[in-house]
Each structure stands twice: as structure tokens, then as C-alpha cells.
Amino acid sequence: MANSGGPIPAAVGYLMVIIIMVPVALCYCELTPMLPVAGGGAAFAYRAFGEVASIVSGWACFGAFAFMLPWEAIYVTDILTMLIPGIKSGAPLYSLNGGDIYLGGIIIGVVVAAIITFMNIKGAASAAGFQKLMVVILLAAAVIAIVCGLLKFDMGNLQPVYENINNANHKSMLGGVLAIMTSAPFFMCGFETIPQAVEDADGDVKDVGKAVVMAVTVAAIFYAIVLFILGGAMPWQQFVGVETPAVSNLFRSVYEGTMGQVLYVVILIGTLAGLLTTWNGFFVAAPRLLMCLARANLVPKALAKQNPKTGVPTNGVILCCVLSMVGPFLGIGLIDPLTSFSGTACLTSWGLTCFCLIRLRKTEPDLKRPYRIIGGTPEAW
């Protein structure tokens, strides 16, 4: 809200991101059932352009996942330290880029990473079951936040509709909307994990592609609704000054006593569930992407090894476990560089995937396409 000039330009920015991101998602929507193999963008690039493009797309995508795994671990550890204050007791072991690292935080982060690893080693069904549970918790917390926000909602709290209070590089509401659009696509990152696991899908794979589009659209609308409603729960210029965790502390401010404290904890639990869904999603996708690259001899063959019973790429899961366990040792001070790298890597992979659709429509027009996007090649461009 601070960087875009208020909750309204921030919410509008997320809605505008649908216009940018849905065409990208539609490219995945056509390509995924057309080439229903593990690897997503890397597999598409291999078919469309060959080894070099596959290496670029695959490593860009894996680079995003590889940095997002410790990113999720850092934030999960940070939220758990808020729920369990004793984790940060005593002096920090060390500081890294301004973030203090505590022994308790390292231990709990490593334990959570081990739990997610165990569920993914058991198979896709186990990981999916955990995902469903976390989504239910996340949605329950979101509904509670929206309802409780509406009970305190006042249109006057949204005024002024636009004001640059953060010395950002814009002077109008349109500038604020564009400012949020530069960062919002990063928060759409994760939809490409769906194609990565298409080999584990049951039923019509055409629906897997549609799920990609739905994931992007629903996410953007969800962000917009939350920004608008919570931005009106208290004067937004006060809200942007609330300490982290912002939404939990917002409810502790507008609801006094026990109610405020309960909402504080509920929203933190919902936040934790949301982080665990993305962490688990990347954990499902990254080993299967590596398996695709290994099949094409673009990374060591050992990463193509699968459990004969569950089909899980075991060595890839172990590598993801190691990357996740690095996170608690890095701490919150490295979140910004990890975010910047992951966002750039995602955009690179998405762009190449759009080119794959354009290329394959030209070079292999007779390839079976269970789902053809409206707009075709111009849409991809």
C-alpha cells in the first residue's frame, strides 16, 4: 500500500496483473496437455528449440525454485518465532545482512524441512494430502480476516484514494498501479509448478492446463480483495506504519483484548499455512524438473532416479531438502536478494514458454492439442 499510494491503487494493480499473467498461463494451458511430461517449461523448450533453450529455461525455472525453497524456509521460521516467542531467546548465533540468526530458529526450520521432505518422499498423494490440509487452513484464516475486516470497514479509511507517502517514483494513481504491477507477478510465481507434476495427474490432463489459468486468476483476485478490505479496516496511512506481522497487528489494534489476540494468532497460523503450501508446491515441482533435465542428459543422470513404487525422483527430493535446510541458516536479511533473483528467473522461464508455443504452432501444426487457446499465436506474442 505504501509503495503504490494506498490500498485502492494496490488492489487495482493486482487486478491489472491478470491482464499480464493470464496470457502467460494460457500458453502453459495449451502446452501442458500437448506435452504431458515432467519438466514443464524445460520440456516445452526442448521440443521447440532443442538443448540450449531447454538448459536456459530449465535452469531459470530451477533457479527460481532453488532460491524459493530457502525463501519459504526463512519465512516459515520467522512466523514460527512469532507464534513461539521462546525460539529467539538468548543472544543470536550470528547476523547476516542485518538479520539475526538464532539456534532455536535453525532447529525448527530444519525440522519443518525434514517433515516436508518425508511427505514428498512418500509420494505425490502424500504431498497432495498435506497441500489440501494447508489450503483449508489458509482459506479459513482468509475468510476470518475478510469478515473481521468488513466488520471494521469504513470507506473513509480508504481516503485519500491516492497519496505518495513513501517517496516512490510516481505522481498519480496510474503510477501507483504500475508500481505494484512491477512486483505483483512475483507473487503469482508457483502456477508453473502445476505442469511440472503433470505426469502424476489423474484423469484428463486438459484440466491440468485449465488449473494453471485458474490459479493465476484466483490468486490475483484474492490479493486485491484482501488489500481493499483490510485497507478500509483502519485509516490506511496508519496501517502502512503497523509493524510486521502487519495484518495480525492490524487486528490486534482494531479489536481490543482477547478478540484481538485470538485474531493475531489465527492470522499468523493462516500465514504459516500459506507459506507451507508454496514451499510444498515447489518441493513437488523442483525434483520433477530436474528429472526432466536428467532424462535429456542436461544434468547428472542420478537426478532422474525414481522410486519404482511411488515414482518420486528421490535424489531430486534429497537435493531440495538440502536447499530448504539452508534457509534457516541464512535468515530474514537475505530475503530481498532471494526475491529479486527468483522473480527474474521466473520471468525468463515464462517468456521462453510463450516463445515455445509460437514455435511449435509453426513447426508442428499437426501435433495433437487437446486444448487450443483462444487467440493462438497472437495471444502468445
Side-chain angles (χ1 to χ4, degrees), residues 296-344:
N297 293 314
L298 302 179
V299 296
K301 270 290 187 184
L303 292 170
K305 181 184 176 183
Q306 292 176 271
N307 183 304
K309 186 175 180 180
T310 63
V312 172
T314 48
N315 289 337
V317 170
I318 292 168
L319 176 58
C320 289
C321 175
V322 172
L323 290 169
S324 296
M325 288 184 175
V326 168
F329 290 88
L330 301 178
I332 202 73
L334 287 182
I335 278 293
D336 284 347
L338 291 173
T339 301
S340 297
F341 181 89
S342 297
T344 304

XYZ file of all heavy atoms in Angstrom, residues 296-344:
345
model
N 17.177 -35.733 -20.385
C 17.766 -35.170 -21.611
C 19.283 -35.033 -21.504
O 19.906 -34.391 -22.349
C 17.139 -33.807 -21.904
N 19.863 -35.609 -20.438
C 21.314 -35.559 -20.206
C 21.830 -34.128 -20.037
O 22.967 -33.818 -20.397
C 22.074 -36.251 -21.349
C 21.815 -37.740 -21.399
O 21.861 -38.422 -20.371
N 21.519 -38.253 -22.585
N 20.986 -33.247 -19.493
C 21.396 -31.860 -19.270
C 21.866 -31.629 -17.841
O 22.436 -30.583 -17.533
C 20.236 -30.920 -19.612
C 19.701 -31.037 -21.045
C 18.540 -30.087 -21.257
C 20.804 -30.760 -22.063
N 21.590 -32.565 -16.956
C 22.122 -32.577 -15.585
C 22.483 -34.036 -15.296
O 22.123 -34.926 -16.075
C 21.090 -32.051 -14.541
C 20.756 -30.587 -14.794
C 19.832 -32.896 -14.526
N 23.200 -34.322 -14.195
C 23.593 -35.707 -13.927
C 22.414 -36.688 -13.952
O 21.330 -36.390 -13.446
C 24.214 -35.621 -12.524
C 24.750 -34.229 -12.455
C 23.789 -33.382 -13.215
N 22.631 -37.845 -14.564
C 21.601 -38.871 -14.710
C 21.014 -39.321 -13.369
O 19.869 -39.790 -13.302
C 22.175 -40.085 -15.438
C 22.047 -40.042 -16.948
C 20.578 -40.214 -17.357
C 20.466 -40.347 -18.885
N 19.029 -40.404 -19.279
N 21.816 -39.185 -12.307
C 21.348 -39.624 -10.989
C 20.078 -38.902 -10.566
O 19.275 -39.431 -9.792
C 22.445 -39.390 -9.947
N 19.861 -37.687 -11.098
C 18.676 -36.910 -10.717
C 17.415 -37.397 -11.418
O 16.318 -36.919 -11.129
C 18.907 -35.427 -11.008
C 19.959 -34.762 -10.115
C 20.318 -33.369 -10.618
C 19.471 -34.690 -8.671
N 17.554 -38.367 -12.340
C 16.388 -38.973 -12.986
C 15.912 -40.215 -12.239
O 14.868 -40.779 -12.578
C 16.705 -39.338 -14.433
N 16.654 -40.640 -11.226
C 16.300 -41.858 -10.486
C 14.956 -41.693 -9.788
O 14.725 -40.717 -9.090
C 17.388 -42.165 -9.460
C 17.115 -43.425 -8.649
C 18.176 -43.638 -7.579
C 17.837 -44.853 -6.711
N 18.820 -45.030 -5.618
N 14.070 -42.669 -9.996
C 12.743 -42.637 -9.388
C 12.543 -43.840 -8.479
O 13.081 -44.924 -8.728
C 11.647 -42.651 -10.468
C 11.578 -41.395 -11.313
C 10.543 -41.529 -12.415
O 10.849 -41.985 -13.511
N 9.309 -41.126 -12.122
N 11.753 -43.632 -7.443
C 11.332 -44.751 -6.611
C 10.396 -45.625 -7.440
O 9.388 -45.133 -7.950
C 10.604 -44.222 -5.371
C 10.203 -45.327 -4.408
O 9.516 -46.273 -4.794
N 10.611 -45.191 -3.162
N 10.716 -46.912 -7.624
C 9.899 -47.754 -8.516
C 8.448 -47.900 -8.055
O 7.555 -48.156 -8.864
C 10.632 -49.103 -8.488
C 11.482 -49.076 -7.266
C 11.849 -47.646 -7.035
N 8.203 -47.721 -6.776
C 6.850 -47.895 -6.239
C 6.029 -46.617 -6.333
O 4.858 -46.636 -6.723
C 6.935 -48.370 -4.783
C 5.589 -48.731 -4.176
C 5.777 -49.298 -2.774
C 4.418 -49.669 -2.166
N 4.565 -50.229 -0.785
N 6.637 -45.470 -5.983
C 5.880 -44.210 -5.919
C 6.116 -43.300 -7.116
O 5.340 -42.375 -7.352
C 6.258 -43.434 -4.639
O 7.659 -43.086 -4.690
C 5.984 -44.267 -3.398
N 7.214 -43.557 -7.869
C 7.555 -42.690 -8.993
C 8.217 -41.393 -8.584
O 8.479 -40.525 -9.425
N 8.519 -41.222 -7.304
C 9.130 -39.992 -6.804
C 10.599 -39.931 -7.219
O 11.333 -40.915 -7.050
C 9.033 -39.915 -5.265
C 9.838 -38.749 -4.715
C 7.582 -39.797 -4.836
N 11.070 -38.795 -7.785
C 12.503 -38.635 -8.083
C 13.279 -38.407 -6.783
O 13.424 -37.297 -6.311
C 12.563 -37.405 -8.991
C 11.191 -36.828 -9.046
C 10.288 -37.628 -8.197
N 13.759 -39.499 -6.202
C 14.278 -39.469 -4.830
C 15.487 -38.556 -4.669
O 15.562 -37.786 -3.705
C 14.649 -40.893 -4.371
O 15.425 -41.527 -5.401
C 13.402 -41.706 -4.120
N 16.452 -38.620 -5.590
C 17.646 -37.782 -5.448
C 17.303 -36.304 -5.572
O 17.894 -35.453 -4.901
C 18.693 -38.171 -6.491
C 19.328 -39.520 -6.193
O 19.324 -39.974 -5.050
N 19.852 -40.188 -7.199
N 16.343 -35.995 -6.426
C 15.901 -34.611 -6.549
C 15.255 -34.103 -5.276
O 15.464 -32.956 -4.868
N 14.474 -34.956 -4.625
C 13.837 -34.587 -3.352
C 14.902 -34.336 -2.288
O 14.803 -33.383 -1.506
C 12.842 -35.674 -2.895
C 12.367 -35.417 -1.468
C 11.642 -35.732 -3.840
N 15.923 -35.189 -2.261
C 17.006 -35.013 -1.277
C 17.728 -33.689 -1.511
O 18.031 -32.959 -0.563
C 17.990 -36.200 -1.349
C 17.302 -37.478 -0.848
C 19.248 -35.921 -0.529
C 18.074 -38.752 -1.144
N 17.990 -33.349 -2.788
C 18.636 -32.075 -3.100
C 17.769 -30.904 -2.636
O 18.273 -29.933 -2.065
C 18.893 -31.973 -4.601
C 19.487 -30.642 -5.100
C 20.818 -30.345 -4.421
C 19.655 -30.668 -6.618
N 16.461 -30.996 -2.854
C 15.541 -29.934 -2.412
C 15.519 -29.830 -0.891
O 15.373 -28.736 -0.334
C 14.140 -30.191 -2.941
S 13.997 -29.936 -4.721
N 15.664 -30.952 -0.228
C 15.740 -30.953 1.240
C 16.957 -30.154 1.702
O 16.861 -29.321 2.610
C 15.805 -32.386 1.756
S 16.051 -32.504 3.547
N 18.095 -30.395 1.044
C 19.321 -29.674 1.411
C 19.156 -28.180 1.185
O 19.501 -27.352 2.043
C 20.518 -30.213 0.595
C 21.764 -29.351 0.824
C 20.802 -31.664 0.965
N 18.584 -27.797 0.023
C 18.375 -26.377 -0.283
C 17.438 -25.731 0.731
O 17.647 -24.587 1.138
C 17.796 -26.243 -1.699
C 18.739 -26.574 -2.852
C 17.967 -26.655 -4.173
C 19.856 -25.535 -2.962
N 16.400 -26.457 1.135
C 15.458 -25.926 2.116
C 16.134 -25.719 3.469
O 15.907 -24.710 4.138
C 14.265 -26.874 2.276
O 13.522 -26.961 1.085
N 16.953 -26.668 3.853
C 17.588 -26.590 5.167
C 18.639 -25.492 5.248
O 19.028 -25.083 6.335
C 18.209 -27.948 5.531
C 17.170 -29.001 5.870
S 17.910 -30.563 6.402
C 16.443 -31.513 6.860
N 19.072 -24.988 4.092
C 19.999 -23.850 4.084
C 19.301 -22.582 4.588
O 19.919 -21.737 5.240
C 20.557 -23.633 2.663
C 21.290 -22.293 2.555
C 21.502 -24.762 2.282
N 17.990 -22.464 4.285
C 17.249 -21.248 4.586
C 17.375 -20.742 6.016
O 17.731 -19.576 6.231
N 17.094 -21.587 7.032
C 17.174 -21.104 8.417
C 18.566 -20.595 8.810
O 18.694 -19.789 9.728
C 16.799 -22.344 9.235
C 15.966 -23.170 8.313
C 16.545 -22.949 6.950
N 19.613 -21.046 8.101
C 20.967 -20.566 8.384
C 21.227 -19.196 7.748
O 22.163 -18.509 8.137
C 22.007 -21.568 7.864
C 22.068 -22.852 8.632
C 21.258 -23.924 8.297
C 22.936 -22.999 9.711
C 21.312 -25.117 9.001
C 22.999 -24.182 10.433
C 22.176 -25.246 10.076
N 20.403 -18.819 6.751
C 20.592 -17.534 6.068
C 19.856 -16.397 6.763
O 20.372 -15.299 6.889
C 20.120 -17.641 4.610
C 20.812 -18.691 3.739
C 20.200 -18.703 2.347
C 22.317 -18.416 3.665
N 18.611 -16.652 7.165
C 17.858 -15.639 7.905
C 17.170 -14.599 7.043
O 17.384 -14.512 5.832
N 16.348 -13.783 7.688
C 15.480 -12.829 7.017
C 16.252 -11.736 6.275
O 15.728 -11.106 5.354
C 14.512 -12.196 8.055
C 13.257 -11.621 7.370
C 15.207 -11.155 8.898
C 12.292 -12.660 6.892
N 17.511 -11.527 6.624
C 18.302 -10.475 5.985
C 18.578 -10.717 4.512
O 18.914 -9.782 3.786
N 18.450 -11.969 4.071
C 18.727 -12.290 2.669
C 17.466 -12.465 1.833
O 17.534 -12.911 0.688
C 19.596 -13.551 2.577
C 21.066 -13.375 2.984
C 21.824 -14.681 2.811
C 21.741 -12.296 2.151
N 16.311 -12.108 2.395
C 15.056 -12.278 1.664
C 15.028 -11.449 0.383
O 14.624 -11.929 -0.685
C 13.853 -11.912 2.568
C 13.501 -13.105 3.465
C 12.644 -11.496 1.762
C 12.954 -14.313 2.722
N 15.448 -10.184 0.430
C 15.360 -9.312 -0.749
C 16.180 -9.835 -1.929
O 15.675 -9.899 -3.054
C 15.770 -7.880 -0.392
C 14.676 -7.155 0.381
O 13.538 -7.674 0.407
O 14.951 -6.090 0.959
N 17.462 -10.218 -1.743
C 18.208 -10.769 -2.875
C 17.596 -12.059 -3.422
O 17.566 -12.270 -4.639
C 19.607 -11.042 -2.307
C 19.698 -10.330 -1.024
C 18.321 -10.027 -0.559
N 17.101 -12.924 -2.531
C 16.472 -14.165 -2.978
C 15.224 -13.866 -3.809
O 14.958 -14.508 -4.824
C 16.099 -15.040 -1.774
C 17.257 -15.655 -0.987
C 16.742 -16.352 0.262
C 18.037 -16.644 -1.843
N 14.459 -12.862 -3.361
C 13.241 -12.472 -4.071
C 13.572 -11.940 -5.462
O 12.937 -12.319 -6.456
C 12.464 -11.403 -3.269
O 12.134 -11.926 -1.985
C 11.192 -10.985 -3.986
N 14.566 -11.054 -5.541
C 14.940 -10.451 -6.824
C 15.390 -11.514 -7.825
O 14.991 -11.505 -8.990
C 16.056 -9.429 -6.626
O 15.611 -8.371 -5.809
N 16.229 -12.437 -7.364
C 16.723 -13.487 -8.259
C 15.584 -14.381 -8.730
O 15.466 -14.693 -9.917
C 17.793 -14.332 -7.569
C 18.355 -15.403 -8.468
C 19.443 -15.141 -9.275
C 17.780 -16.651 -8.529
C 19.953 -16.119 -10.125
C 18.271 -17.634 -9.380
C 19.366 -17.363 -10.174
N 14.738 -14.816 -7.792
C 13.645 -15.727 -8.142
C 12.679 -15.080 -9.120
O 12.219 -15.709 -10.079
C 12.899 -16.171 -6.876
O 13.738 -16.902 -6.032
N 12.346 -13.804 -8.890
C 11.433 -13.100 -9.784
C 11.977 -13.012 -11.196
O 11.268 -13.265 -12.186
N 13.253 -12.663 -11.316
C 13.889 -12.554 -12.631
C 13.945 -13.914 -13.330
O 13.683 -14.025 -14.530
C 15.319 -11.990 -12.486
O 15.251 -10.749 -11.798
C 15.964 -11.774 -13.843
